[in-house]
Amino acid sequence: MRYDTYIFDLDGTLLDSLGDLYSSTNYALRQHEMPERTLDEIRCFVGNGVKKLMERAVPKGLENPRFEETFATFREHYLVHNLDTTAPYPGVLRMLAELKSQGKNLAIVSNKFYTATQSLCRHFFGDYVSVAIGERENIRRKPAPDTVLEALRQLGTGADNAVYIGDSDVDIMTARNSGMPCISVLWGFRSREFLVEHGGERFVSSPEELLRL
């Protein structure tokens, strides 16, 4: 089926950002004398926004009396260092360029905080994607449909003939809650087995495959 509107997750779908998230998380943990986390641990922690990432990384999470200051340190560090190693996955830019040339509506929705979402979108995808929605205080985060609905509103279109593309169980639930099909990518932070276990039904192994659907 050919779609008119493509709503993309950001981390693990368009951008390989794991290295910078790993570095900023461990920087914050070190600064507050907490044990560091492995890359595989960070991979499992991401997908629900950076606050949830830090809840999982900080011992005792929100119950830790130093959580808020550790989270603030992470945010400060990440806003400066979120481009150190982060880059689009191979084939992503070509795929977005082709969809744009076909006149498709393109948007990004992310649980990453709003400032970082906007900055990364402009830096990497500004020629192709005009709407990028990140975490904000006045809008429910994924898997609630609010960010997707806001993206559709800004695009001036609806969920009919729209598809959601992501790499996690949160993305699968977001698509379902938004009333649109979900295509799960297999180059991101989660395995096919994990995605199937959490309701994934349609998969692509490369960005180019999206152009053939």
Side-chain angles (χ1 to χ4, degrees), residues 97-126:
E98 179 60 27
L99 291 175
K100 182 72 171 179
S101 73
Q102 295 174 11
K104 306 300 183 181
N105 300 310
L106 307 179
I108 290 170
V109 294
S110 176
N111 277 341
K112 187 188 291 292
F113 47 94
Y114 187 80
T115 303
T117 301
Q118 291 279 305
S119 174
L120 289 168
C121 181
R122 283 194 302 268
H123 181 80
F124 289 113
F125 311 120

Coordinates of all heavy atoms in Angstrom, one line a residue, residues 97-126:
A97 N 14.6 11.8 1.1 CA 14.6 12.6 -0.1 C 13.6 12.1 -1.1 O 12.9 12.9 -1.8 CB 16.0 12.7 -0.6
E98 N 13.6 10.8 -1.3 CA 12.7 10.2 -2.3 C 11.2 10.4 -1.9 O 10.4 10.8 -2.7 CB 13.0 8.7 -2.4 CG 12.1 8.0 -3.4 CD 12.2 8.6 -4.8 OE1 13.2 9.1 -5.2 OE2 11.2 8.4 -5.6
L99 N 10.9 10.2 -0.6 CA 9.5 10.4 -0.2 C 9.1 11.9 -0.4 O 8.0 12.2 -0.8 CB 9.4 10.0 1.3 CG 9.5 8.5 1.6 CD1 9.4 8.3 3.1 CD2 8.3 7.8 0.9
K100 N 10.1 12.8 0.0 CA 9.8 14.2 -0.2 C 9.5 14.5 -1.7 O 8.6 15.3 -2.0 CB 11.0 15.0 0.3 CG 10.8 16.6 0.2 CD 9.8 17.0 1.2 CE 9.7 18.6 1.3 NZ 8.7 19.1 2.3
S101 N 10.3 14.0 -2.6 CA 10.2 14.2 -4.0 C 8.9 13.7 -4.5 O 8.3 14.2 -5.5 CB 11.3 13.6 -4.8 OG 11.2 12.2 -4.8
Q102 N 8.3 12.7 -3.8 CA 7.0 12.2 -4.2 C 5.8 13.0 -3.7 O 4.7 12.6 -3.9 CB 6.9 10.7 -3.8 CG 7.9 9.8 -4.5 CD 7.8 8.4 -3.9 OE1 6.9 8.0 -3.1 NE2 8.8 7.6 -4.3
G103 N 6.1 14.0 -2.9 CA 5.1 14.9 -2.3 C 4.5 14.3 -1.1 O 3.3 14.7 -0.7
K104 N 5.1 13.4 -0.4 CA 4.6 12.8 0.8 C 4.7 13.8 2.0 O 5.6 14.6 2.1 CB 5.3 11.5 1.2 CG 5.4 10.5 0.1 CD 4.0 10.1 -0.4 CE 4.0 9.0 -1.4 NZ 2.7 8.6 -1.9
N105 N 3.8 13.7 3.0 CA 3.8 14.4 4.2 C 4.7 13.7 5.2 O 4.6 12.5 5.4 CB 2.4 14.5 4.8 CG 1.4 15.2 3.9 OD1 1.7 16.3 3.4 ND2 0.3 14.6 3.7
L106 N 5.7 14.4 5.7 CA 6.7 13.8 6.6 C 6.8 14.5 7.9 O 6.8 15.8 8.0 CB 8.1 13.8 6.0 CG 8.2 13.2 4.6 CD1 9.7 13.3 4.1 CD2 7.8 11.8 4.5
A107 N 6.8 13.8 9.0 CA 6.9 14.4 10.4 C 7.7 13.4 11.3 O 7.8 12.2 11.0 CB 5.5 14.7 10.9
I108 N 8.2 14.0 12.3 CA 8.9 13.3 13.4 C 8.2 13.5 14.7 O 7.9 14.6 15.0 CB 10.4 13.7 13.5 CG1 11.2 13.3 12.2 CG2 11.1 13.2 14.7 CD1 12.6 13.9 12.1
V109 N 8.0 12.4 15.4 CA 7.5 12.5 16.8 C 8.4 11.7 17.7 O 8.8 10.6 17.4 CB 6.0 12.0 16.9 CG1 5.1 12.9 16.2 CG2 5.9 10.6 16.5
S110 N 8.8 12.3 18.8 CA 9.8 11.7 19.7 C 9.4 12.0 21.2 O 8.8 13.0 21.5 CB 11.2 12.3 19.4 OG 12.1 11.8 20.3
N111 N 9.9 11.1 22.0 CA 9.8 11.3 23.5 C 11.0 12.0 24.0 O 11.1 12.3 25.2 CB 9.6 10.0 24.2 CG 8.1 9.5 24.3 OD1 7.2 10.3 24.0 ND2 7.9 8.3 24.6
K112 N 11.9 12.3 23.1 CA 13.1 13.1 23.5 C 12.6 14.6 23.8 O 11.6 15.0 23.2 CB 14.1 13.2 22.3 CG 15.4 13.9 22.6 CD 16.2 14.0 21.4 CE 16.8 12.7 20.8 NZ 17.8 12.1 21.7
F113 N 13.3 15.3 24.7 CA 12.8 16.6 25.0 C 12.8 17.5 23.8 O 13.6 17.4 22.9 CB 13.5 17.2 26.2 CG 15.0 17.1 26.2 CD1 15.7 18.2 25.7 CD2 15.6 16.0 26.8 CE1 17.1 18.1 25.8 CE2 17.0 16.0 26.8 CZ 17.8 17.0 26.3
Y114 N 11.9 18.5 23.8 CA 11.5 19.2 22.7 C 12.7 19.9 22.0 O 12.8 19.9 20.8 CB 10.4 20.3 23.1 CG 9.8 21.0 21.9 CD1 8.8 20.4 21.1 CD2 10.3 22.3 21.6 CE1 8.3 21.1 20.0 CE2 9.7 23.0 20.5 CZ 8.7 22.4 19.8 OH 8.2 23.1 18.7
T115 N 13.5 20.6 22.8 CA 14.6 21.3 22.3 C 15.6 20.5 21.5 O 16.0 20.8 20.4 CB 15.4 22.0 23.4 OG1 14.5 22.9 24.2 CG2 16.5 22.9 22.9
A116 N 15.9 19.3 22.0 CA 16.8 18.4 21.3 C 16.2 17.8 20.1 O 16.8 17.7 19.0 CB 17.2 17.2 22.3
T117 N 14.9 17.5 20.1 CA 14.2 17.0 18.9 C 14.2 18.0 17.8 O 14.5 17.7 16.7 CB 12.7 16.7 19.3 OG1 12.7 15.7 20.3 CG2 12.0 16.1 18.1
Q118 N 13.9 19.3 18.1 CA 13.9 20.3 17.1 C 15.3 20.5 16.6 O 15.5 20.6 15.3 CB 13.4 21.6 17.7 CG 11.9 21.6 18.1 CD 11.1 21.9 16.9 OE1 11.2 22.9 16.2 NE2 10.1 21.0 16.6
S119 N 16.3 20.6 17.4 CA 17.7 20.8 17.0 C 18.2 19.7 16.1 O 18.8 20.0 15.0 CB 18.6 21.0 18.2 OG 19.9 21.1 17.8
L120 N 18.0 18.5 16.5 CA 18.4 17.3 15.7 C 17.7 17.3 14.3 O 18.3 17.0 13.3 CB 18.3 16.0 16.5 CG 19.2 15.9 17.6 CD1 18.8 14.7 18.5 CD2 20.7 15.6 17.2
C121 N 16.4 17.5 14.4 CA 15.6 17.5 13.1 C 16.2 18.6 12.1 O 16.3 18.3 11.0 CB 14.2 17.7 13.4 SG 13.1 17.6 11.9
R122 N 16.3 19.8 12.6 CA 16.8 20.8 11.7 C 18.2 20.5 11.2 O 18.5 20.7 10.0 CB 16.9 22.2 12.5 CG 15.6 22.8 12.7 CD 15.8 24.3 13.2 NE 16.5 24.4 14.4 CZ 16.0 24.4 15.6 NH1 14.7 24.3 15.8 NH2 16.7 24.4 16.7
H123 N 19.1 20.0 12.1 CA 20.5 19.7 11.6 C 20.5 18.6 10.6 O 21.3 18.7 9.6 CB 21.3 19.3 12.9 CG 22.7 19.0 12.6 ND1 23.7 20.0 12.4 CD2 23.4 17.8 12.3 CE1 24.8 19.5 12.1 NE2 24.7 18.1 12.1
F124 N 19.8 17.5 10.8 CA 19.9 16.4 9.9 C 18.9 16.3 8.8 O 19.1 15.8 7.7 CB 19.9 15.1 10.7 CG 21.1 14.8 11.5 CD1 21.0 14.8 12.9 CD2 22.3 14.5 11.0 CE1 22.1 14.6 13.7 CE2 23.4 14.3 11.7 CZ 23.3 14.3 13.1
F125 N 17.7 16.7 9.1 CA 16.5 16.5 8.2 C 15.8 17.7 7.8 O 14.7 17.6 7.3 CB 15.6 15.5 8.9 CG 16.2 14.3 9.5 CD1 16.1 14.0 10.8 CD2 17.0 13.4 8.7 CE1 16.7 12.9 11.4 CE2 17.6 12.3 9.2 CZ 17.5 12.0 10.6
G126 N 16.4 18.9 8.0 CA 15.7 20.1 7.7 C 15.2 20.3 6.3 O 14.3 21.0 6.0

